[in-house]
Amino acid sequence: MTTTTASRALPLAATVLTGTVALYMALVAFGNITDFGTNQQFVRHVLAMDTTFKDEDLMWRAITTRWIQDTAYVLIIVWETAAALVLGYGTWLWSRRDHVRARRFSVYGLLMVMLLFGAGFIGIGGEWFAMWQSGDWNGLDAATRIFLLSGVVLLVDHFAGSEAGEVTPPR
């Protein structure tokens, strides 16, 4: 009885949590598309480093060319949209009890989110472009929250697949 409950509970948790991140990413992408200018300004300020300490040793990193800033923003939106779609598909697969494929697609989507928020916003934005120095254009707390949430969901998805006895060797 305990095994049956666990084998049902973890995939359900994986379904709900993966769906939660999918919904979040879909709403973020939708918001960035329908209210393009708000976060466009955010990206422009971070890349321009115009609200940082203006340290000459760092300011050479600033990107002030508008088309490059806007291209970066559009690429972020495309990545967010793709991650939402991959996670949505993973959620659908979890709900269909196709745990092997669900876990695979969920991992892909969650890694996309973690790359965006971890490498992109925390690493590149936070450190390379010194976003941590800005009082006005600092998204590190939000990026850290989403990075950690995605990591927790990644662990749950992993355990849900292995608990159901559907562990497949890496390809």
Side-chain angles (χ1 to χ4, degrees):
M1 180 109 158
T2 305
T3 305
T4 304
T5 304
S7 65
R8 289 183 189 158
L10 280 172
L12 176 61
T15 305
V16 171
L17 292 173
T18 303
T20 299
V21 180
L23 175 64
Y24 174 79
M25 291 306 296
L27 292 173
V28 168
F30 180 76
N32 285 339
I33 292 166
T34 59
D35 183 19
F36 190 86
T38 299
N39 281 331
Q40 177 188 37
Q41 292 305 312
F42 191 97
V43 170
R44 283 181 175 175
H45 284 290
V46 169
L47 295 179
M49 299 173 67
D50 56 0
T51 60
T52 62
F53 299 163
K54 306 280 190 285
D55 185 341
E56 290 180 23
D57 294 331
L58 295 178
M59 291 308 292
W60 63 271
R61 300 175 184 176
I63 296 174
T64 56
T65 307
R66 293 283 176 144
W67 74 266
I68 296 174
Q69 294 171 340
D70 293 343
T71 300
Y73 182 48
V74 168
L75 290 174
I76 289 169
I77 294 170
V78 168
W79 191 267
E80 292 166 344
T81 303
L85 291 171
V86 171
L87 287 166
Y89 185 60
T91 302
W92 184 77
L93 290 170
W94 280 117
S95 72
R96 307 273 304 163
R97 295 195 171 117
D98 185 351
H99 297 164
V100 174
R101 289 180 38 201
R103 186 169 63 170
R104 182 179 311 128
F105 279 93
S106 296
V107 166
Y108 295 155
L110 291 165
L111 288 177
M112 290 175 73
V113 173
M114 293 179 82
L115 278 170
L116 178 64
F117 285 89
F121 298 152
I122 296 171
I124 295 170
E127 288 303 316
W128 184 257
F129 291 106
M131 182 171 56
W132 65 271
Q133 294 180 0
S134 177
D136 296 323
W137 302 100
N138 186 338
L140 289 174
D141 287 342
T144 301
R145 278 193 310 271
I146 301 311
F147 182 81
L148 292 175
L149 171 66
S150 299
V152 168
V153 176
L154 183 66
L155 291 173
V156 170
D157 285 359
H158 173 73
F159 289 124
S162 56
E163 185 72 23
E166 299 175 350
V167 178
T168 57
R171 295 179 192 186

